[in-house]
Amino acid sequence: MLQGKSIAFLLAPEGVEQVELTEPWRAIQRAGGTPRLISTRAGRAQAFNHLDKADTFEVDATVTQVSPADFDGLVLPGGVANPDFLRTDRDAVRFVGGFFEAGKPVAAICHAPWTLIEADVVRGRTLTSWPSLQTDLRNAGATWVDEEVVICTDGPNLLVTSRKPDDLKAFGQAAVDAMVAVEP
């Protein structure tokens, strides 16, 4: 389904919730897509299982080495520290915003919508997230709902969001479906 499509996974150098990286990554691979790990720093990204260090993952490229034009879609895994770091990095925020400008699908889970808020791409959109982000999202002009997965078409691109690791199966399928829906 995703043969020939390259999907960016954007992470901070540390702080990503490991399962929110690995499960969508596997879903993209199972669908025939090529996931690529993009970060703000070269080397390895440190994942976490909540507050405990987990595995590290080799970064394929930094946000300054690639552009949204190099990819067919974007996945933003969560974890509390990961999107908090990304939203303070201008190059990461610009990279995320570029997917919306290009009309390419974006999938974000858990705390990842913090980066979307910083990129100013949630106004007029309907999203879900980890519940503690609902006020931030509403203040940024989004409609927040408490659902397993939300697919928003009210904007320049498909936007898929989910709340938490328990939603990963639905999130992975919705992310794949969104990436399939876009012509290469």
Side-chain angles (χ1 to χ4, degrees), residues 13-21 45-57 78-82:
E14 68 176 4
V16 70
E17 185 70 27
Q18 182 162 314
V19 70
E20 293 177 4
L21 166 64
Q46 176 68 61
F48 282 76
N49 292 323
H50 193 53
L51 299 175
D52 299 322
K53 282 188 175 182
D55 298 326
T56 63
F57 297 88
V80 177
N82 180 54

Side-chain angles (χ1 to χ4, degrees), residues 31-147:
T34 303
R36 295 202 49 224
L37 190 58
I38 310 304
S39 186
T40 57
R41 190 170 63 216
R44 297 189 70 82
Q46 176 68 61
F48 282 76
N49 292 323
H50 193 53
L51 299 175
D52 299 322
K53 282 188 175 182
D55 298 326
T56 63
F57 297 88
E58 187 67 32
V59 171
D60 293 313
T62 66
V63 290
T64 59
Q65 295 171 320
V66 293
S67 79
D70 299 324
F71 302 98
D72 298 291
L74 172 66
V75 175
L76 295 169
V80 177
N82 180 54
D84 193 46
F85 177 88
L86 291 175
R87 68 183 176 161
T88 65
D89 185 285
R90 275 188 241 160
D91 293 322
V93 171
R94 188 177 9 248
F95 182 71
V96 169
F99 283 86
F100 288 79
E101 291 167 12
K104 294 183 177 185
V106 173
I109 188 166
C110 199
H111 288 79
W114 268 339
T115 309
L116 300 178
I117 291 168
E118 194 63 34
D120 195 24
V121 295
V122 300
R123 189 172 320 283
R125 305 299 296 263
T126 300
L127 293 85
T128 194
S129 66
W130 186 256
S132 66
L133 274 67
Q134 65 182 294
T135 300
D136 297 339
L137 284 161
R138 287 181 179 133
N139 286 343
T143 299
W144 185 87
V145 295
D146 184 12
E147 296 177 15

